[in-house]
Amino acid sequence: MIKVNLNVKELYNSDFNFLAKEAEYICLKNYGKKVFLRALLEFSNECKMNCLYCGLRKDNRNIKRYFLSVQEIKKIIKKNYLSGFRTFVLQSGEFVNFKFNELCDIIYKLKKEFKNITITLSCGYFTKRKLKLLKESGVDRYLIRFEVADEKIYSYLKNGLSLKKRIEMLYNLKELNFETGSGFMIGLPGENDEILIKNLELCYKLNLDMIGIGPFIPHPDTPLNYLNKPSFEKVLKITAILRILLPYSNIPATTASGTLEPYGREKLLKVGANVLMPNITPPRYKKYYLLYPGKICINENADTCILCLKQKLKKINRELSFDTGSSINFTMKNNNLELNYGIN
Ligand code: 5AD
Ligand code: SF4
Ligand code: FES
């Protein structure tokens, strides 16, 4: 096993070319050429929250809200199951309480009907009690970003909510044995090097199974519409550092990064990312799921994206994989195996 000096501050101040090379080496060593695919279904854009940065915020009246029925969800999953997908990410805004039972019911039915699928949920904050019910319904993985590891900025962006509570939820997820994903945005207001280092340290401390990061892209219908996007170089560097810090975690090359930069996803796969999340939401709904403007693949259907990704990966000497692709962290933990990686 290679030994790296895992002092986050030191890594952060290291030369990019060194970080990129190291990250690519670690990724290829641990995952080979495989890039895991996750089919992303944005099943509802309803949201009770008002996050300052997000196009789905409750106060944005310029979008049509939708909530797919169980029948529609089943139909979409079936089609993509037949294309080879076994890992599905169901994403929505934050739920109003009365829809919770509906959600459990959907998951239960999907797990019953489609054999050997893995379901990841990404629907915002839930109490431990509700997370337990979700687990019992069949949810395998959960994604919820902490967005920024700074209590003050977090609370400003999320109208007084507490970062501590969010982090508590992440520990609850781990305790309930969900494969746990989180992450942050790059380029939020008030961000500086120190905060980016804190973001990285928190990902490390949480020992996340999946880490989703991406640039903040200002949305015209939000209070933060006057801000600038971050540079893509920053996203590249942070991804490389994450791969070095968490060699056994899954790191997606996110759609927001592909939106910020042409060939952004390919470039991230070269510095440590090992997951792609093609969007299987039908284009007639996709156009209403704009967290940020200019989102790529908005008019393409899932089949077009899969073909496109296949070609893209071939060009960078990598391969699509429909494997369940649990993080190595998670697999080792569930088999009582120890990983000997540490931080200074
Ligand atoms: N730009 C980039 N990412 C965004 N998200 C929300 N709004 C934006 C934006 N304007 C991200 C958040 C959230 C995830 C679902 O999408 O990190 O957790
Ligand atoms: Fe809702 Fe999530 Fe957007 Fe916040 S980031 S407004 S919780 S969809
Ligand atoms: Fe969707 Fe290329 S990945 S069109």
Side-chain angles (χ1 to χ4, degrees), residues 53-56 91-92 122 144-147 158 166 183-185 212 214-219 222 256 289 291-293:
Y53 46 80
C54 177
L56 300 191
Q91 191 175 67
S92 72
S122 174
I144 180 158
R145 290 185 178 177
F146 59 79
E147 315 293 2
K158 295 183 74 90
R166 188 81 148 195
F184 54 90
M185 276 182 280
F216 159 61
I217 304 176
H219 190 295
T222 63
Y289 204 94
L291 305 156
Y292 49 84

Side-chain angles (χ1 to χ4, degrees), residues 173 178 311 335:
L173 285 165
F178 283 92
Q311 285 162 0
N335 291 296

Side-chain angles (χ1 to χ4, degrees), residues 47 49 51 53-54 56-57 93-94 158:
C47 189
M49 303 295 290
C51 305
Y53 46 80
C54 177
L56 300 191
R57 64 200 306 273
E94 280 211 15
K158 295 183 74 90

Side-chain angles (χ1 to χ4, degrees), residues 266-279:
E266 291 93 317
K267 289 178 185 170
L268 288 170
L269 290 169
K270 293 276 290 169
V271 297
N274 70 318
V275 173
L276 282 169
M277 296 171 71
N279 195 324

Side-chain angles (χ1 to χ4, degrees), residues 265 297 300 304-305 308-309 312:
R265 289 170 297 175
C297 307
E300 284 77 9
T304 312
C305 285
C308 169
L309 292 177
K312 280 175 183 291

